[in-house]
Amino acid sequence: MVCRKSAESVNYLKELNPPQHQAVTHPKGPLMIIAGAGSGKTRVLTYRIAWLIDQGIDPFNILALTFTNKAAQEMRERIERIIGPDARNLWMGTFHSVFAKILRYEGKALGYTSNFSIYDTDDSKSLIKTIIKEFSLDDKVYKPNYVLNRISNAKNSLVSWEMYNENPLFREEDAGARMPEIGRIYKTYAQRCFAANAMDFDDLLYNTNILFRDHLDVLNKYQHKFKHVLVDEFQDTNVSQYLITRKLAAVHQNICVVGDDAQSIYAFRGANIQNILNFKKDYPELITVKLEQNYRSTQNIVNAANSLIKKNKDQLEKNVFSENDEGKKIEVLKSSSDNEEGRAIANMIFEEKVRDGLHNSDFAILYRTNAQSRAFEEALRKLNIKYRIIGGLSFYQRKEIKDLLAYLRFTVNQQDEEAFKRIINLPKRGIGAQTVAKIVVLANEHRVSIWEIVSHIKQYIDGRAANAIAAFAELIQSYMIELEAGKDAHEMATHIAKTTGILRELYADKTVEGLARYENIQELLNSIKQFTDNEEVEDKTLPAFLQTVSLLTTADQEDEDGDHDRVTMMTIHGSKGLEFNHVFVVGLEENLFPSQMMLNNRADLEEERRLFYVAITRAEQNLTLSYAEQRYNWGRLTFCEPSRFLLEIDEQFLKLPKANKPVRKSFDDDNDVISSFGGARKSTFQSTSKAAPAPPSAKQRVLNNLKPVGTAKPAPEHKPSGNFVPSNPSELKAGILVEHPKFGFGKITKMDLMGSSHKATVVFDSHGEKTLLLSFAKLRVVE
DNA sequence: AATTTGTGTATTTTT
DNA sequence: TACACAAATT
């Protein structure tokens, strides 16, 4: 191994403060880095890896586990800039992707082939549903989500289905929840996944544990291979993940974990904050380094965040401080409704861009739930501000994408039951539920796989369904042959898209949706092309692509086009590790943030508080905390109370609601109730303020500062593109001719009132009858 | 078997 | 509201 010269190492080490330096150059043995928000954690991790390589460690012997693939990729690039192309040999990625890779090599020890499928949450849920149905259980009692959660928790604690069924504790719990059959469902679920040569997300970790437990030769190999194990975002690892790293580090004892207990926000999926707290017990020799200087944010922001987080009981002692400018106070923004909140913030962004010369990419809007993005999308669109939404239903969850991927999956792995169910009658080939059920029965009777039946269908049944199935089998077989012949992922996918008829069907569909779907497929094919064209990818086969694709994290989403200058919108969970000049934390209302479901016990509430802490500490210069007084919740207008978290931040850091700028009240706002509602509000607040602490002056001021909205002139006037404007219900009635930007010309046949929002039924010349919600639809009245 | 209509129900965060 | 799923049509 090359031992690099230290000219550069001296350079990069010089940039570090003493604790950072200590962390980077820690020679060997267990190391825990407690890294406060914005303390240069990524830099330390990067430099440490570079430093290790400088010390003569082969990149091939270093394992670095990150929270997202993107983080891994970025880190790899940064290391490459320091040490050169050797960085490519690092083992770096998420737990799931790294161990999926190892399981691909070693899985046969457990009875899986290297082509195993990875079931995503939808697949898992679908299988659970199927099983519940097969057991003739009531899926209103056995809620698939609950059952899946239960199984997931079991696996993450390394409880096998056998152990689950033997343990009376679980049985009692399930009986108490009136779901005594969960153990049986778990068993069947596990067996069915195995039979399908498929692993769900939890299996990737669970099976790795089993692999290392039962196959010491394999464990040994990787223990010796990984001379250094580094774990980022350690506070968000679960027991299953922790045990894997502990086993891997058992020989060399070179384990370095980086984390911040104050930023642990994934307990809901099994992350265990105790991992951090117990780490010392597992490694008595442990050296702990604390990084406490925040380089990211203003003093005001750091101090405000500190004043919040100190309300939590469970935390390590730590003193995060900033030596940056004191900075501006945190602005608290009050709006009368969720839509108003959207407009106010869009306007602030618009003005600030002009005033301070900021770019779209300097702004982020962070919310608790994905559903909250709507109002902001609308408002930003109206001001022509470009944005990107991270998360939500991702590209890969769209129906047409999942369909094509299911074909690819089935081509690679014919055991894949979920993929089979998706594609057997797609496009329509006249194979209905009856036929599929018959096949499943036959497979069970003859104790063979579904594919065995399908590929020899004529031996089992005849009739027209049999012909259709034979054709299907032949199609798949032709794909298998091409795969065997060594075609790469892109060639395969293009060929399959063309020859299944999926593409043809979508092409024929000239509706807007059909067009969009067609484009989505094209986009998927493009991204596969990128995959096979990428020189850093060694394995360009279809199985390799599928593996990568199923383990993409939401943060991994690429910008659709090269345009990076966009306002970012995402959940706070998604914002981890990121930073922005100006951050808006929105929807700060009781029962929304903190979420209603997290109010049951202290631990949950503290996790919500940490979540808020994460949100605040994303901001570099400007922070705006926003809440609305009313909000539509599942179609119902509800009155909201400011979040308790707002009141927990020390008042000296806040600027309470300024007479918040009146924002244009445009005519599409009928679902905003803006006029005063007198006594109603007061009583609502009183009746809902069960959990709120006694009102401090801050709260008083927040609540009293009521202001009328919608009279003064808006800030920047802006024309929506084209002639289309959101329609004004008062000028519409049955019989009027209108034009819609997507659907073209049509005639209104009916006007309705749904709640407080207007609906118009329009018969379009080319698209037939549509019912449009006027608060969203843009219609132009044709003279 | 495919399409349309109606009913009910869930509303957190993600690998 | 809005989506998923079941029942009722064609």
Side-chain angles (χ1 to χ4, degrees):
Chain A
M1 182 61 241
V2 199
C3 198
R4 241 159 290 272
K5 263 317 96 277
S6 303
E8 356 172 31
S9 20
V10 170
N11 274 339
Y12 65 76
L13 290 180
K14 267 187 189 155
E15 299 169 20
L16 304 170
N17 68 26
Q20 287 177 330
H21 189 280
Q22 187 194 352
V24 167
T25 59
H26 173 76
K28 59 183 191 152
L31 172 68
M32 176 157 72
I33 305 171
I34 301 295
S39 61
K41 175 190 67 147
T42 310
R43 163 187 281 193
V44 166
L45 210 45
T46 325
Y47 286 1
R48 172 156 179 82
I49 293 172
W51 184 83
L52 286 172
I53 296 171
D54 271 343
Q55 300 303 301
I57 308 283
D58 191 328
F60 202 68
N61 297 128
I62 298 176
L63 172 65
L65 298 161
T66 58
F67 198 71
T68 66
N69 294 301
K70 196 178 178 189
Q73 196 186 322
E74 279 173 12
M75 210 181 288
R76 192 189 301 270
E77 279 162 16
R78 286 172 70 166
I79 296 170
E80 196 170 336
R81 255 175 268 147
I82 304 176
I83 64 132
D86 268 6
R88 290 188 194 172
N89 294 329
L90 286 164
W91 279 67
M92 195 139 82
T94 62
F95 271 92
H96 292 266
S97 61
V98 166
F99 294 111
K101 189 171 169 186
I102 289 182
L103 284 168
R104 267 191 93 188
Y105 292 126
E106 315 289 350
K108 51 184 169 311
L110 299 176
Y112 294 87
T113 77
S114 66
N115 287 342
F116 68 83
S117 295
I118 296 173
Y119 276 0
D120 67 13
T121 312
D122 288 340
D123 296 319
S124 301
K125 214 183 291 174
S126 154
L127 181 52
I128 298 271
K129 273 186 201 164
T130 310
I131 294 170
I132 289 174
K133 219 178 258 175
E134 284 173 6
F135 285 2
S136 321
L137 298 169
D138 184 353
D139 65 354
K140 269 153 209 150
V141 180
Y142 287 82
K143 299 204 176 116
N145 268 326
Y146 180 89
V147 178
L148 185 57
N149 251 324
R150 200 76 188 142
I151 295 175
S152 175
N153 288 338
K155 281 185 193 164
N156 283 330
S157 326
L158 300 190
V159 173
S160 67
W161 63 262
E162 291 97 336
M163 288 156 71
Y164 191 97
N165 281 303
E166 281 161 16
N167 192 328
L169 209 68
F170 294 118
R171 231 175 303 141
E172 275 163 35
E173 273 174 14
D174 288 342
R178 307 221 334 277
M179 291 181 259
E181 301 285 2
I182 288 186
R184 227 174 103 218
I185 299 175
Y186 183 9
K187 174 182 176 184
T188 310
Y189 175 79
Q191 291 174 336
R192 285 281 266 279
C193 285
F194 183 73
N197 192 25
M199 299 190 201
D200 66 17
F201 289 136
D202 303 317
D203 286 332
L204 293 172
L205 306 172
Y206 177 84
N207 285 333
T208 304
N209 270 297
I210 301 300
L211 179 72
F212 289 161
R213 184 194 68 191
D214 296 347
H215 300 273
L216 294 179
D217 52 325
V218 178
L219 172 63
N220 213 262
K221 177 166 133 196
Y222 288 98
Q223 277 177 333
H224 283 94
K225 174 179 175 61
F226 297 129
K227 294 186 177 141
H228 283 268
V229 178
L230 301 98
V231 185
D232 193 10
E233 307 283 9
F234 183 61
Q235 76 280 359
D236 289 324
T237 53
N238 61 35
V239 173
S240 182
Q241 292 168 319
Y242 177 59
L243 292 178
I244 293 175
T245 54
R246 200 174 69 180
K247 275 192 174 156
L248 282 177
V251 168
H252 294 289
Q253 294 277 310
N254 291 324
I255 181 164
C256 164
V257 301
V258 189
D260 179 7
D261 55 304
Q263 296 184 64
S264 160
I265 54 176
Y266 280 96
F268 71 91
R269 69 170 202 222
N272 193 347
I273 198 166
Q274 295 301 321
N275 279 350
I276 280 203
L277 306 174
N278 291 339
F279 199 59
K280 259 204 172 89
K281 290 183 201 147
D282 282 346
Y283 295 95
E285 321 255 284
L286 180 70
I287 303 281
T288 303
V289 176
K290 283 187 191 171
L291 307 179
E292 296 177 306
Q293 179 168 2
N294 176 306
Y295 294 94
R296 176 188 295 150
S297 313
T298 63
Q299 286 187 26
N300 197 63
I301 290 171
V302 169
N303 293 335
N306 286 340
S307 76
L308 171 86
I309 202 66
K310 71 166 187 245
K311 311 266 179 193
N312 273 2
K313 281 189 174 171
D314 284 333
Q315 56 177 335
L316 300 176
E317 200 185 315
K318 161 157 39 65
N319 171 36
V320 180
F321 66 97
S322 166
E323 289 181 355
N324 295 343
D325 291 344
E326 186 182 351
K328 285 176 257 178
K329 300 222 163 179
I330 297 169
E331 195 168 322
V332 177
L333 174 70
K334 173 164 83 165
S335 307
S336 59
S337 72
D338 45 1
N339 290 338
E340 192 59 43
E341 181 183 39
R343 279 189 291 272
I345 286 175
N347 279 322
M348 283 175 72
I349 293 177
F350 190 100
E351 285 180 355
E352 208 171 313
K353 276 173 66 178
V354 178
R355 196 182 60 225
D356 300 339
L358 294 179
H359 300 281
N360 288 336
S361 55
D362 289 322
F363 299 93
I365 300 173
L366 307 181
Y367 34 75
R368 180 63 177 79
T369 70
N370 280 306
Q372 285 167 258
S373 67
R374 246 292 255 298
F376 300 97
E377 279 182 76
E378 304 232 332
L380 289 171
R381 219 171 10 224
K382 276 186 197 152
L383 296 187
N384 260 358
I385 298 172
K386 294 219 176 168
Y387 60 85
R388 61 177 177 155
I389 295 182
I390 297 189
L393 59 168
S394 85
F395 182 73
Y396 291 99
Q397 292 177 340
R398 292 177 198 174
K399 181 183 179 302
E400 62 277 13
I401 300 300
K402 292 205 76 171
D403 288 343
L404 181 52
L405 287 176
Y407 263 105
L408 303 182
R409 262 165 59 180
F410 197 69
T411 300
V412 166
N413 170 20
Q414 294 79 33
Q415 321 279 79
D416 191 328
E417 182 183 340
E418 293 304 311
F420 174 76
K421 282 194 286 197
R422 246 194 130 81
I423 61 176
I424 179 64
N425 200 24
L426 196 136
K428 305 266 145 65
R429 9 173 113 76
I431 302 170
Q434 295 288 327
T435 317
V436 175
K438 203 186 282 178
I439 293 173
V440 173
V441 170
L442 280 168
N444 283 333
E445 263 176 21
H446 293 79
R447 302 198 171 279
V448 291
S449 70
I450 288 175
W451 174 245
E452 178 60 27
I453 306 280
V454 168
S455 57
H456 302 106
I457 190 73
K458 294 268 162 95
Q459 297 173 16
Y460 297 95
I461 57 175
D462 39 33
R464 62 176 193 286
N467 288 327
I469 290 169
F472 171 78
E474 216 168 290
L475 190 68
I476 297 297
Q477 251 145 6
S478 76
Y479 298 155
M480 289 161 64
I481 290 168
E482 305 212 22
L483 184 67
E484 202 63 25
K487 289 207 167 175
D488 71 27
H490 181 249
E491 292 168 318
M492 286 302 301
T494 328
H495 178 69
I496 291 176
K498 280 183 187 154
T499 48
T500 51
I502 289 186
L503 214 49
R504 199 175 337 112
E505 194 176 73
L506 290 178
Y507 188 72
D509 183 354
K510 292 297 179 194
T511 64
V512 194
E513 298 85 1
L515 219 61
R517 293 214 184 103
Y518 183 77
E519 279 164 11
N520 285 338
I521 296 276
Q522 294 293 358
E523 213 175 311
L524 175 63
L525 293 174
N526 285 341
S527 78
I528 302 180
K529 181 94 178 106
Q530 276 175 30
F531 174 82
T532 49
D533 283 354
N534 187 345
E535 288 182 7
E536 293 190 21
V537 176
E538 308 133 46
D539 188 348
K540 301 182 193 299
T541 62
L542 191 54
F545 172 76
L546 288 176
Q547 191 119 124
T548 343
V549 105
S550 40
L551 294 174
L552 285 179
T553 60
T554 42
D556 297 329
Q557 286 171 25
E558 296 177 26
D559 302 324
E560 318 79 78
D561 42 39
D563 193 354
H564 282 258
D565 188 27
R566 291 166 181 274
V567 173
T568 303
M569 290 193 255
M570 59 187 154
T571 63
I572 301 167
H573 284 91
S575 74
K576 196 158 62 144
L578 304 177
E579 55 190 23
F580 301 89
N581 181 303
H582 191 161
V583 168
F584 298 86
V585 186
V586 303
L588 280 164
E589 295 134 36
E590 278 298 295
N591 298 331
L592 180 59
F593 191 13
S595 163
Q596 190 166 22
M597 328 195 84
M598 297 295 259
L599 298 175
N600 304 319
N601 57 59
R602 200 194 80 212
D604 281 353
L605 186 64
E606 293 203 347
E607 172 148 319
E608 292 285 285
R609 194 176 281 118
R610 289 191 296 268
L611 193 59
F612 189 36
Y613 177 83
V614 168
I616 292 173
T617 53
R618 298 310 97 195
E620 294 166 350
Q621 299 289 328
N622 303 289
L623 178 60
T624 304
L625 307 176
S626 158
Y627 69 95
E629 296 173 303
Q630 308 163 51
R631 169 178 307 275
Y632 272 89
N633 265 348
W634 54 97
R636 205 151 281 283
L637 185 68
T638 52
F639 297 92
C640 315
E641 189 182 5
S643 167
R644 69 186 73 187
F645 293 154
L646 272 177
L647 313 178
E648 289 176 357
I649 297 181
D650 203 323
E651 211 178 316
Q652 59 173 306
F653 306 118
L654 300 177
K655 189 164 122 203
L656 288 168
K658 48 174 191 180
N660 89 17
K661 213 171 308 136
V663 180
R664 170 186 49 185
K665 155 104 173 75
S666 55
F667 45 73
D668 66 325
D669 294 339
D670 303 76
N671 43 4
D672 285 4
V673 180
I674 294 184
S675 50
S676 69
F677 25 76
R681 161 191 285 117
K682 212 166 179 190
S683 59
T684 311
F685 272 137
Q686 281 165 356
S687 63
T688 51
S689 61
K690 44 180 179 159
S697 69
K699 180 175 185 181
Q700 218 56 48
R701 286 166 60 184
V702 169
L703 291 179
N704 289 341
N705 194 343
L706 181 70
K707 55 98 219 202
V709 182
T711 42
K713 227 195 143 228
E717 188 52 56
H718 185 82
K719 275 197 214 84
S721 55
N723 290 322
F724 298 101
V725 292
S727 24
N728 182 352
S730 66
E731 59 182 64
L732 301 177
K733 58 172 189 270
I736 284 188
L737 293 175
V738 293
E739 189 186 357
H740 184 275
K742 284 179 189 161
F743 304 133
F745 293 94
K747 190 176 183 179
I748 299 184
T749 55
K750 209 168 66 165
M751 294 286 297
D752 279 321
L753 209 57
M754 172 182 279
S756 57
S757 58
H758 295 263
K759 275 194 320 186
T761 308
V762 186
V763 177
F764 288 103
D765 299 343
S766 48
H767 291 84
E769 187 179 276
K770 304 257 175 203
T771 301
L772 305 170
L773 205 54
L774 293 184
S775 43
F776 299 119
K778 292 179 180 175
L779 291 176
R780 187 169 72 86
V781 177
V782 179
E783 251 75 48

